[in-house]
């Protein structure tokens, strides 16, 4: 499903070269549930961005579903992201001027799948326990509620891969458990591949495969 | 599009900038067009190449022509034959200008009486024949557009009642629009009878005329004929109608130049302002844009999104500007005419429509040009970069 070969990404900050991702090689098969832990600044977010085609690596390749992400042009890469991948970001990632439902439906605006999206969005919002906030705006929601909206949005395009960066960051324990069970269900039923960055030991621990990142280097645990 | 709502003040400022530019441009152009339009029709109506008037009254004659300020001045009728005798003159016709004491019924503004000679006239007659198909005789008159009477009405001047037999279409020149046309003979008779009938006596005799209208032969320029007339006949001034227009054109050109300079500067400022505001908006929205890219928005989609916002805003500004400018020009039209001392006639509705569209299109193009760089630079950013920079 995902084949990563010798992936390296460096940043040049005021003459200082930082190797955020250092020669990472990784194979993830379809329907796997992978967790990545690591210290702050170890390069986890950068790795997820590389996997999702949000930033170009200095060297190495990412092949997903048989497609080398950096071999295709930007339009096709965008389409690929739109159809196959979805993200849950570390930070608040809702568009403030759109309602909760509009936010959840946003990926569909960029693709060509409009039929049934509204109903699906409502179902996803019910799943994350926000059916009463469908027409609210993000500013009217708590941080945890916003995060749950972002989680609902991650499933709207029925992606094959979900790249999640601290998805349970600001959720209480109970909601966290619900989210984990949603992830598990999606993983089991729909064979969605999960790659989740987390500090949460419970979430990390129940992943079948656990990786650790330190100073840009990825290791199996 | 929903992003506009949030940055309300900035959006309003931006739209206002466009409003100012398109408004000034629109009003300035339409005023210029109106003046030119009127001049064109007016001089066509004047129909004479040269206007011979008493030397001392040159300025008031010009004023009468351009601003329609009523005036009366007289010279002896023999001037007519003298002018006719000048080399290069093809046709001559006398006119007498009379300033009515008062317009007894209801009208207080400037009214002007022109007596023309139906036997020799070559300027007013063709117009009358073309538009109302009658030539006034006896106590009949024809009135300009601005005189509030209709065909069949009777109005008195200097104790004589006149019957309105026709009203003329507007030219924008008060010299025509505020004028009562009557045959020369009728005017003299009116003057004579004013001694008996009127409270105020009109002191002219049938030996007095105000101006001699001249048509020159086709093989000579009006300027040359004018010089000859002034040379041959002492005490007269020959006004070349082309020159009247070219003087006005020149004055207008100076005015026009400063207006377009101002508009040009305002345009550049608006362009810069829109560019700055859009880079600010785009900067603040980098994360949103990065997010949209992550969710599958294409570069072209982002570019289009921002451009359409710019076009929407500047289009709105353009429409508002044209509306505001139009309303201002329309409501201050009279003030404008008074201060410019120029004839004024709205251009045809087709021309106005073209102008309206032109101004709106120009506004939209301005907005589009200004937003081009911000839209381009943000759309080509890497999604991850955009997301991080937006933090
Ligand atoms: N766009 C960038 N420009 C410059 N340096 C960057 C950029 N993105 C990441 N870095 C640097 O790369 C390193 C890895 O960053 P990254 O965000 O991947 O860490 P992380 O593991 O996600 O940390 P956290 O757990 O705090 O989110 C950091 O030292 C960071 O400063
Ligand atoms: Mg991170």
């Amino acid at each position: 499903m995902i084949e990563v070969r010798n992936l390296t990404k460096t940043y040049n900050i005021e003459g200082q070269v930082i190797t955020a991702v250092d020669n990472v090689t990784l194979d993830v098969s379809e329907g796997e549930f992978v967790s990545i832990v690591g210290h702050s600044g170890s390069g986890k977010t950068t790795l997820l961005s590389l996997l999702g085609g949000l930033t170009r690596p200095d060297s190495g390749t990412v092949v997903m579903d048989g497609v080398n992400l950096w071999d295709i042009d930007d339009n096709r890469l965008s389409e690929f992201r739109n159809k196959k991948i979805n993200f849950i970001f570390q930070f608040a990632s809702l568009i403030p001027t759109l309602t909760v439902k509009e936010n959840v439906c946003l990926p569909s605006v960029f693709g060509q799948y409009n039929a049934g999206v509204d109903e699906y969005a409502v179902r996803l919002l019910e799943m994350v326990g926000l059916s009463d906030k469908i027409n609210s705006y993000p500013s009217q929601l708590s941080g945890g509620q916003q995060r749950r909206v972002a989680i609902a949005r991650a499933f709207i395009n029925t992606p094959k891969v979900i790249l999640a960066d601290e998805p349970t960051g600001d959720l209480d324990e109970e909601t966290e458990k619900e989210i984990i069970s949603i992830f598990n269900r999606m993983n089991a039923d729909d064979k969605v591949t999960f790659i989740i960055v987390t500090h949460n030991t419970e979430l990390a621990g129940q992943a079948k495969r656990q990786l650790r990142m330190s100073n840009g280097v990825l290791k199996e645990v | 599009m929903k992003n506009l709502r949030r940055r309300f003040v900035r959006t309003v400022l931006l739209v206002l900038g466009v409003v100012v530019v398109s408004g000034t441009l629109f009003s300035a152009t339409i005023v210029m067009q109106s003046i030119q339009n009127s001049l064109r029709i007016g001089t066509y109506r004047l129909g004479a190449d040269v206007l011979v008037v008493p030397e001392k009254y040159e300025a008031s004659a010009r004023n009468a022509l351009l601003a329609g300020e009523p005036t009366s001045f007289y010279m002896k009728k023999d001037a007519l034959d003298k002018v006719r005798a000048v080399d290069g003159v093809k046709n001559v016709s006398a006119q007498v200008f009379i300033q009515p004491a008062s317009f007894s019924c209801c009208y207080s503004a400037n009214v002007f009486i022109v007596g023309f000679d139906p036997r020799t006239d070559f300027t007013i007659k063709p117009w009358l024949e073309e538009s109302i198909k009658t030539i006034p005789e006896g106590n009949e008159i024809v009135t300009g557009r601005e005189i509030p009477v209709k065909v069949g009405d009777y109005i008195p001047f200097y104790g004589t009642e006149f019957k309105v037999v026709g009203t003329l279409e507007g030219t924008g020149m008060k010299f025509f629009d505020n004028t009562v046309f009557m045959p020369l003979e009728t005017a003299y008779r009116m003057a004579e009878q004013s001694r008996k009938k009127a409270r105020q006596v009109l002191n002219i005799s049938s030996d007095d005329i105000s101006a001699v209208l001249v048509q020159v032969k086709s093989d000579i320029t009006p300027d040359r004929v004018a010089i000859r007339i002034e040379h041959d006949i002492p005490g007269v001034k020959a006004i070349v109608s082309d020159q009247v227009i070219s003087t006005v054109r020149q004055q207008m050109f100076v005015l026009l130049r400063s207006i377009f300079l101002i508009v040009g500067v305002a345009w550049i400022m608006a362009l810069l302002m829109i560019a700055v505001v859009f880079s600010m908006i785009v900067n603040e929205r980098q994360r949103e844009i990065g997010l949209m890219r992550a969710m599958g928005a294409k570069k072209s989609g982002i570019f289009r999104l921002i451009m359409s916002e710019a076009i929407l805003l500047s289009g709105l500004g353009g429409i508002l500007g044209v509306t505001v400018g139009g309303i201002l020009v329309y409501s201050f039209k009279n003030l404008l005419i008074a201060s410019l001392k120029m004839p004024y006639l709205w251009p045809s509705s087709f021309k106005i429509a073209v102008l309206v569209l032109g101004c709106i299109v120009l506004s939209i193009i301005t907005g589009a040009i200004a937003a081009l760089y911000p839209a381009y630079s943000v759309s080509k950013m890497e999604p991850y970069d955009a997301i991080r920079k937006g933090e």
Side-chain angles (χ1 to χ4, degrees):
Chain A
M1 179 71 207
I2 309 173
E3 296 152 31
V4 178
R5 294 287 172 273
N6 306 101
L7 207 57
T8 297
K9 176 86 182 177
T10 57
Y11 294 108
N12 203 331
I13 311 167
E14 288 153 16
Q16 212 183 332
V17 177
I18 292 169
T19 308
V21 170
D22 193 355
N23 202 25
V24 167
T25 294
L26 172 70
D27 280 294
V28 179
S29 43
E30 189 171 0
E32 250 194 299
F33 199 114
V34 180
S35 76
I36 300 174
V37 295
H39 291 298
S40 181
S42 57
K44 308 181 293 294
T45 301
T46 308
L47 179 63
L48 283 192
S49 306
L50 290 167
L51 296 182
L54 299 182
T55 187
R56 187 181 279 277
D58 296 339
S59 61
T61 53
V62 179
V63 176
M64 195 180 290
D65 222 8
V67 177
N68 185 335
L69 295 190
W70 298 104
D71 261 5
I72 55 180
D73 68 21
D74 189 80
N75 277 348
R76 286 198 36 224
L77 180 58
S78 298
E79 278 166 27
F80 189 85
R81 273 200 298 267
N82 188 250
K83 290 201 181 71
K84 302 276 173 75
I85 313 175
N86 213 329
F87 300 85
I88 301 167
F89 292 97
Q90 197 171 3
F91 49 83
S93 61
L94 303 181
I95 311 275
T97 45
L98 300 179
T99 65
V100 163
K101 195 167 101 180
E102 286 167 341
N103 262 288
V104 172
C105 292
L106 195 58
S108 73
V109 174
F110 308 121
Q112 253 79 50
Y113 48 101
N114 289 314
V117 166
D118 267 28
E119 294 74 25
Y120 190 39
V122 173
R123 261 178 45 217
L124 287 169
L125 282 166
E126 273 167 20
M127 210 165 71
V128 297
L130 287 175
S131 43
D132 54 335
K133 301 286 188 200
I134 286 175
N135 293 313
S136 306
Y137 283 90
S139 58
Q140 299 162 329
L141 267 53
S142 73
Q145 287 171 328
Q146 290 184 32
R147 168 122 336 200
R148 282 186 274 159
V149 176
I151 289 166
R153 183 180 59 192
F155 297 107
I156 192 75
N157 60 342
T158 56
K160 294 204 145 176
V161 178
I162 286 196
L163 302 169
D165 203 350
E166 299 275 3
T168 59
D170 35 22
L171 299 180
D172 59 274
E173 243 171 82
E174 205 169 315
T175 331
E176 195 182 292
K177 283 212 173 74
E178 272 170 40
I179 298 300
I180 293 172
S181 78
I182 291 170
F183 284 0
N184 279 328
R185 203 162 68 234
M186 288 289 183
N187 181 237
D189 296 355
D190 299 343
K191 290 218 155 214
V192 180
T193 309
F194 279 83
I195 298 178
I196 294 182
V197 166
T198 184
H199 285 130
N200 183 306
T201 39
E202 190 180 344
L203 182 54
Q206 64 104 52
K208 287 164 206 109
R209 186 172 169 199
Q210 295 168 33
L211 304 172
R212 176 173 295 277
M213 191 130 197
S214 57
N215 286 325
V217 180
L218 194 66
K219 287 200 185 92
E220 305 268 346
V221 177
Chain B
M1 209 164 292
K2 289 196 168 182
N3 292 291
L4 300 178
R5 236 190 278 153
R6 218 172 2 151
R7 280 158 267 259
F8 186 71
V9 175
R10 209 181 291 165
T11 310
V12 166
L13 264 171
L14 204 144
V15 171
L16 274 183
V18 182
V19 166
V20 169
V21 173
S22 72
T24 352
L25 185 66
F26 179 71
S27 357
T29 322
I30 202 152
V31 169
M32 294 303 151
Q33 284 278 332
S34 298
I35 293 173
Q36 277 204 326
N37 189 32
S38 176
L39 274 177
R40 196 173 43 78
I41 292 181
T43 45
Y44 171 68
R45 285 305 170 210
L46 191 61
D49 301 321
V50 179
L51 195 67
V52 182
V53 297
E55 195 170 23
K56 272 181 284 179
Y57 293 98
E58 189 205 347
S60 34
R62 279 179 193 271
N63 251 342
L65 267 181
L66 286 180
E69 278 165 18
T71 175
S72 46
F73 43 78
Y74 303 103
M75 56 189 175
K76 290 296 154 203
K77 208 170 202 164
D78 59 359
L80 185 66
D81 293 322
K82 287 185 194 159
V83 174
R84 187 183 285 125
V86 171
D87 211 17
V89 170
K90 188 176 164 200
N91 281 317
V92 290
S93 183
Q95 285 192 351
V96 58
F97 303 156
I98 299 166
Q99 233 175 315
S102 63
F103 191 6
S104 36
C105 80
C106 40
Y107 195 61
S108 58
N110 300 331
V111 174
F112 195 42
I113 298 173
V114 170
F116 66 99
D117 186 351
R119 278 166 305 153
T120 56
D121 182 83
F122 53 87
T123 64
I124 292 159
K125 242 168 67 184
W127 187 14
L128 297 182
E129 273 159 6
E130 173 195 315
S131 60
I132 56 178
K133 299 179 177 61
T134 39
I135 307 295
E137 315 174 324
N139 285 353
E140 291 176 345
I141 54 171
V142 169
T143 56
R145 182 185 58 176
E146 298 295 322
I147 296 182
V149 294
K150 51 188 192 303
V151 174
D153 282 357
Y154 284 89
I155 42 173
F157 290 109
Y158 291 101
T160 307
E161 286 266 319
F162 292 91
K163 184 183 183 194
V164 179
V165 295
T167 54
L168 295 163
E169 72 204 36
T171 63
M173 284 178 107
K174 287 187 179 159
F175 181 71
F176 296 112
D177 292 351
N178 288 11
T179 293
V180 169
F181 293 97
M182 62 174 70
L184 205 55
E185 294 308 320
T186 309
Y188 292 139
R189 201 171 337 111
M190 173 179 78
E192 202 182 299
Q193 295 191 349
S194 74
R195 286 174 226 281
K196 288 174 275 174
K197 289 191 196 167
R199 264 173 292 146
Q200 201 172 346
V201 173
L202 176 61
N203 245 331
I204 57 168
S205 76
S206 58
D207 197 30
D208 289 326
I209 57 172
S210 301
V212 177
L213 278 65
V214 179
Q215 199 174 27
V216 303
K217 286 183 179 147
S218 56
D219 56 358
I220 190 162
T221 63
D223 303 23
R224 304 252 322 261
V225 176
I227 292 167
R228 282 184 198 166
I229 291 171
E230 284 175 9
H231 176 263
D232 291 1
I233 311 163
V236 302
K237 183 77 194 174
I239 300 171
V240 179
S241 46
D242 279 352
Q243 269 172 14
V244 174
I245 297 171
S246 60
T247 327
V248 173
R249 283 249 164 83
Q250 240 151 30
Q251 284 170 6
M252 256 177 38
F253 183 71
V254 173
L255 201 68
L256 206 74
R257 215 174 33 188
S258 37
I259 288 174
F260 280 117
L261 202 75
I262 293 167
V263 173
V265 170
W267 186 73
I268 290 171
M269 273 164 49
L271 201 73
L272 287 177
M273 190 180 83
I274 300 172
V276 168
V277 169
F278 258 85
S279 340
M280 279 162 77
I281 290 179
V282 159
N283 264 328
E284 279 173 24
R285 284 169 56 193
Q286 275 185 42
R287 169 187 286 197
E288 269 173 39
I289 288 162
L291 281 168
M292 291 194 228
R293 296 271 287 125
M295 286 182 273
K298 294 175 185 172
K299 284 179 182 175
S300 55
I302 298 295
F303 183 77
R304 246 178 292 154
L305 182 80
I306 292 165
M307 289 306 278
S308 60
E309 236 167 65
I311 286 168
L312 189 85
L313 279 182
S314 49
L316 190 74
I319 291 169
L320 273 175
V322 168
T323 314
V324 171
I327 289 171
L328 283 182
V329 171
Y330 189 76
S331 35
F332 291 110
K333 180 194 147 198
N334 289 330
L335 196 72
L336 210 72
I337 296 170
S339 59
L340 287 176
K341 280 200 194 298
M342 299 241 181
Y344 197 94
L345 185 70
W346 296 115
S348 66
S349 31
F350 174 73
K351 264 195 180 165
I352 293 181
V354 168
L355 205 59
V356 166
L357 270 179
C359 282
I360 293 172
V361 167
L362 191 80
S363 308
I364 289 174
I365 291 174
T366 308
I369 292 175
L372 209 58
Y373 182 71
Y376 171 73
S377 63
V378 78
S379 65
K380 72 163 208 260
M381 273 178 101
E382 272 199 341
Y384 180 59
D385 260 4
I387 291 170
R388 275 188 58 103
K389 290 228 175 83
E391 271 174 54

